[in-house]
Amino acid sequence: MSVKILLVDDHPLTVGAYRQVLQDNLPENSYTTAIANNAEQAYHAIAGSSTDFNIAIIDHGLPAYEPQNLKSGLDIAMMLRQRMPECRIIMITAHTEMLILYDIYKLAKPEGFVIKSELTPQMLSQVITTVTEGDNYRSPMVQNCIKEIWKKELMVDDINRQILFFLSKGYKMKEVEDMVFLSGSAVQKRIASMKKAFEVSSDGSLVKEAVKQGFL
């Protein structure tokens, strides 16, 4: 069965580069492409398609289509999620602002996510191959952004900070459970999430990293 691919970018040279990478990585006649150079064209490509797209490569920065309130590639990706939930989305953006990247990650849930400044033909080849094979791909800058905001989200939580505070004061785990009014398993689950975010393996190291990074 032919793979149906949507390419959404307002720069013809970039679209040409995408098509070349597809040609280099996918067997001839195994896929078809549709091209949209702005949000309006993307809207009509999706709304007017008789069959679902399998893969979409979408640039975040696009000329808007106000009649449908589509202001960016993120809006196009969210439209795709609603209309073609099985479509695997690759988001590419020039933005490096942490909150914008995290919005794209949380709202669009792209299977592939890359910052333009990192993008090379080799990386694009890798992300297309990875997503086509059913796995997810995050570029190094995207991975770091997600990790940092996830860490901050965890530490905004009052109970997580209380747990770390009590551990830093030497309280035993049973005492911590009683003071935060949670079961042992619930406390351990929260500690495990924080260890993963801070990339440490012990309770003591977790407390030290939280202090070092200004969360305690």
Side-chain angles (χ1 to χ4, degrees):
M1 183 183 70
S2 179
V3 175
K4 192 173 180 181
I5 302 173
L6 174 64
L7 305 177
V8 185
D9 196 290
D10 59 335
H11 296 95
L13 285 176
T14 302
V15 172
Y18 294 164
R19 295 182 74 177
Q20 184 61 54
V21 171
L22 290 169
Q23 183 178 322
D24 292 342
N25 287 272
L26 298 178
E28 189 177 359
N29 301 321
S30 68
Y31 66 95
T32 59
T33 58
I35 296 170
N37 298 124
N38 51 51
E40 180 178 2
Q41 291 179 12
Y43 169 79
H44 289 297
I46 297 165
S49 179
S50 58
T51 58
D52 288 359
F53 288 103
N54 303 105
I55 296 172
I57 302 176
I58 304 173
D59 183 20
H60 180 264
L62 292 174
Y65 183 37
E66 296 295 347
Q68 291 294 328
N69 198 32
L70 299 171
K71 299 177 181 179
S72 68
L74 173 57
D75 293 330
I76 296 299
M78 292 172 67
M79 176 186 174
L80 262 177
R81 282 281 175 245
Q82 185 175 39
R83 295 185 178 225
M84 303 179 183
E86 298 303 314
C87 180
R88 298 182 64 77
I89 296 173
I90 298 170
M91 287 295 298
I92 298 176
T93 179
H95 286 283
T96 57
E97 299 94 324
M98 195 173 286
L99 291 178
I100 292 176
L101 296 180
Y102 200 60
D103 271 349
I104 295 171
Y105 170 74
K106 289 201 77 171
L107 295 173
K109 298 178 174 61
E111 283 76 18
F113 194 3
V114 180
I115 309 295
K116 270 190 176 179
S117 61
E118 298 178 281
L119 192 60
T120 63
Q122 293 76 21
M123 180 182 284
L124 183 57
S125 173
Q126 185 179 357
V127 67
I128 289 172
T129 300
T130 300
V131 169
T132 302
E133 291 176 348
D135 292 322
N136 294 343
Y137 184 95
R138 311 272 183 263
S139 71
M141 285 180 67
V142 169
Q143 286 180 326
N144 186 62
C145 164
I146 292 168
K147 182 179 70 176
E148 287 303 309
I149 291 197
W150 182 41
K151 186 187 299 179
K152 287 178 174 61
E153 280 191 340
L154 286 170
M155 297 314 300
V156 166
D157 188 286
D158 287 339
I159 294 176
N160 286 345
R161 291 204 311 276
Q162 288 174 26
I163 290 170
L164 285 184
F165 175 78
F166 292 134
L167 289 177
S168 72
K169 297 303 180 183
Y171 286 93
K172 303 296 183 185
M173 191 58 64
K174 186 65 176 72
E175 295 174 308
V176 174
E177 294 164 17
D178 292 339
M179 286 185 285
V180 297
F181 305 105
L182 289 175
S183 67
S185 61
V187 170
Q188 290 291 356
K189 185 176 180 180
R190 285 172 176 267
I191 290 174
S193 294
M194 289 188 282
K195 284 179 182 176
K196 184 175 180 182
F198 282 93
E199 298 181 331
V200 296
S201 58
S202 70
D203 294 356
S205 297
L206 173 60
V207 170
K208 288 178 183 177
E209 275 301 310
V211 172
K212 181 181 176 182
Q213 296 186 33
F215 291 109
L216 276 182

